[in-house]
Amino acid sequence: MAEHVKELHHILTLVIQKPADIPMVRKKVKLLTCSIGCGRRQVARFATAASELARILLTCCHGGKISLSFLRTAAGAELAGLILEFAFHSSGPCDAWTQERKKDSCAGGKDLVSGPPFPGVHRVFEEVEIEGGVGTVPLTIRCRSSLEGLPGTENLLTRIKAIRRDLFADTEESYMENLRAKHDEVLRLLQEKTEQNRMLDQSNNELLQLSNDLEALAQERTIIEMSLKIADQVRNPATVIGGLAGQLLRKGLLPEKAARKIQQIADQAERIDQIVHRFHAMADERRDLFVQEDLILLVQDALQSCPTMGKRAIEPVLELGEQPVFIHANRRVLKVALIHVFRHAATVTPAGGRIIIRVDSDQKHATVTVVDQGTGFSREDLDELRHPPESRLQVGQPGLALVRHILAEHQGELQVENSMESGEGGRLVMRFPLIWREQGTTL
């Protein structure tokens, strides 16, 4: 609807901070709807719906405000022409709302918005939008109805000032309440800006840590690849040259001058082999970053470093064994992969939902399974994630492509599938070998 709003004419804002404010909301809505020509029954329905939604803000969301406005929409909007809008905004986090929705979800019942007073509100208004209301996201409810055909809407926009005077005429308290609402709104915006700055600083620190971890991964990969490339391109020819030179020297049939030259060739071939050994030593030093790590502790650490969970009020359900699960891992780099998986699951899960994180092992492998409550992966995403292109990252899932790359460094693999269980969406399984293998040897 926002993109179709052509004009917005604010009429009145009322704060909702105490029980006595609810009758005031009902009274003001009656005055407003009477002034635009609504019938007695329609006036009563608008007033009742507004007062009940105001009660939701007071009882579940620590109060809030209601803004009454007229809208004129552009062509193409679902509601065309002149619109009456009631916008309800909570003043802070909706703790009671969040708890009620979680109880409703755990009980396997319908969503809370399907219960009173929302069915009646949907019958009164032609359009109802509900946003937020879980975690740190304030609750916003927008209710709209078309005013087309009402006798009192002729030249309505020219009578806005008179309507405002009528709404303020009965008591000075309403005017003061509106001033307080504006003051509280400024304070709320300042608090939100401060909180946003804090979250931005936290995100910047997280990005810096992520950059450092990725730099360590890239450095390690570059050195290892350089060592292997040198071994393939230099060591084998040097070995052949040194071997042939040694055979000639061992036959002892060469003139003294030629033998000295052949010996120099053999010595230089040995020197090249020593240089290659030094590059392998550098690679081995980087491999020292891979040590025995407790996978359970690493999962818990990564979970605490994923702020997306808290922002969306996602409840992580940990299913961990009592015994530690050790794998060979680079702690900093693997933590990046785990954070990416948790962030993906928290993003696709509805706010206030939960994700299941399970760590277990068998005789050969350790696994981390993450199950979200999203809509699951599309067939195209599943095909692309299971068979990634060689030359580019996935367009839709770049974070999971990085996870796959990191797991490959740990001799692990990422399995992507949709859960068949009710209430579950996608399932990501990270599988690690309990025994680290390198060049045919076991570490």
Side-chain angles (χ1 to χ4, degrees):
M1 169 65 77
E3 63 271 17
H4 295 296
V5 174
K6 187 176 180 181
E7 299 177 30
L8 188 149
H9 301 274
H10 175 259
I11 303 300
L12 180 68
T13 295
L14 296 171
V15 295
I16 305 168
Q17 296 179 337
K18 54 185 183 297
D21 293 328
I22 296 177
M24 180 63 67
V25 169
R26 185 182 182 90
K27 181 177 181 181
K28 295 301 181 182
V29 170
K30 280 186 175 181
L31 290 173
L32 176 61
T33 52
C34 283
S35 68
I36 60 178
C38 293
R40 292 180 58 184
R41 182 179 179 183
Q42 194 173 13
V43 168
R45 295 176 68 192
F46 277 130
T48 301
S51 62
E52 290 304 311
L53 290 178
R55 196 183 309 276
I56 286 288
L57 295 188
L58 182 64
T59 58
C60 297
C61 306
H62 309 285
K65 65 177 182 179
I66 171 177
S67 296
L68 312 179
S69 307
F70 294 137
L71 309 177
R72 186 178 293 279
T73 58
E78 293 183 9
L79 295 180
L82 196 60
I83 308 298
L84 173 64
E85 179 185 77
F86 296 170
F88 300 82
H89 304 279
S90 67
S91 58
C94 303
D95 298 336
W97 176 274
T98 300
Q99 294 301 323
E100 289 299 322
R101 298 195 76 172
K102 285 187 176 180
K103 289 179 183 178
D104 186 80
S105 176
C106 293
K110 297 181 180 179
D111 190 50
L112 186 63
V113 297
S114 64
F118 293 100
V121 171
H122 281 280
R123 288 192 294 269
V124 173
F125 295 94
E126 299 173 50
E127 185 177 271
V128 179
E129 294 180 359
I130 303 174
E131 300 176 354
V134 293
T136 59
V137 182
L139 175 65
T140 298
I141 305 174
R142 298 183 185 276
C143 306
R144 304 184 183 96
S145 279
S146 174
L147 299 180
E148 295 296 325
L150 290 179
T153 57
E154 297 180 2
N155 302 320
L156 178 61
L157 299 183
T158 62
R159 298 191 293 113
I160 288 180
K161 291 185 178 179
I163 293 174
R164 290 196 184 108
R165 284 196 301 268
D166 292 341
L167 292 175
F168 289 133
D170 60 329
T171 175
E172 185 178 353
E173 181 182 357
S174 297
Y175 182 74
M176 296 303 298
E177 290 291 338
N178 276 270
L179 289 181
R180 293 191 188 99
K182 294 298 182 183
H183 177 70
D184 292 341
E185 178 71 7
V186 172
L187 292 180
R188 185 184 66 81
L189 291 175
L190 290 176
Q191 292 174 352
E192 286 184 356
K193 185 174 181 61
T194 301
E195 179 64 17
Q196 289 173 356
N197 289 337
R198 186 191 67 79
M199 295 173 61
L200 180 61
D201 290 340
Q202 182 179 357
S203 298
N204 287 336
N205 293 333
E206 182 182 350
L207 289 175
L208 178 60
Q209 181 65 38
L210 176 62
S211 176
N212 292 337
D213 291 339
L214 292 179
E215 183 179 354
L217 175 63
Q219 181 182 6
E220 175 192 359
R221 179 64 179 267
T222 301
I223 292 176
I224 292 176
E225 288 184 350
M226 181 186 300
S227 301
L228 295 176
K229 186 176 295 185
I230 291 175
D232 291 338
Q233 298 181 0
V234 178
R235 189 176 190 180
N236 292 339
T239 301
V240 172
I241 293 172
L244 293 176
Q247 289 181 2
L248 292 175
L249 291 174
R250 285 193 294 271
K251 289 182 179 180
L253 301 177
L254 296 174
E256 181 179 354
K257 185 176 181 179
R260 286 199 302 269
K261 293 181 179 181
I262 296 298
Q263 184 63 51
Q264 290 178 358
I265 293 174
D267 292 341
Q268 293 302 316
E270 178 64 23
R271 183 180 177 186
I272 292 174
D273 189 64
Q274 292 176 358
I275 293 173
V276 173
H277 275 295
R278 285 202 293 270
F279 274 107
H280 275 285
M282 292 173 61
D284 290 338
E285 289 177 1
R286 301 307 300 174
R287 285 294 185 185
D288 289 342
L289 292 174
F290 288 81
V291 297
Q292 290 291 318
E293 293 285 354
D294 186 347
L295 188 57
I296 292 179
L297 296 180
L298 187 55
V299 166
Q300 292 173 333
D301 187 18
L303 193 59
Q304 293 179 355
S305 302
C306 184
T308 309
M309 295 280 188
K311 292 177 185 178
R312 297 179 54 79
I314 302 297
E315 178 188 3
V317 180
L318 296 175
E319 297 180 1
L320 310 176
E322 297 181 356
Q323 299 298 324
V325 178
F326 289 102
I327 63 170
H328 211 63
N330 182 332
R331 181 180 185 85
R332 294 177 62 194
V333 177
L334 185 55
K335 180 180 174 181
V336 173
L338 292 170
I339 291 176
H340 269 291
V341 171
F342 296 156
R343 182 182 297 158
H344 167 82
T347 301
V348 301
T349 296
R354 65 176 188 171
I355 64 173
I356 300 174
I357 303 172
R358 184 182 304 114
V359 180
D360 51 23
S361 62
D362 53 27
Q363 293 181 351
K364 294 183 178 180
H365 297 91
T367 58
V368 178
T369 304
V370 180
V371 183
D372 60 62
Q373 288 186 321
T375 57
F377 295 96
S378 66
R379 180 176 300 178
E380 292 77 12
D381 286 341
L382 285 175
D383 291 341
E384 193 168 7
L385 287 168
R386 289 171 177 171
H387 308 285
E390 297 294 335
S391 59
R392 63 181 177 88
L393 290 178
Q394 289 88 332
V395 175
Q397 309 288 345
L400 296 184
L402 176 62
V403 171
R404 186 185 297 278
H405 176 76
I406 293 176
L407 294 187
E409 295 290 331
H410 289 74
Q411 300 183 5
E413 60 180 0
L414 176 67
Q415 297 178 355
V416 184
E417 59 190 18
N418 287 326
S419 175
M420 297 293 103
E421 298 293 333
S422 176
E424 296 182 356
R427 178 186 287 126
L428 297 171
V429 182
M430 294 171 281
R431 190 181 303 275
F432 304 91
L434 294 180
I435 302 176
W436 182 271
R437 296 185 179 276
E438 183 177 8
Q439 296 181 353
T441 61
T442 301
L443 298 183

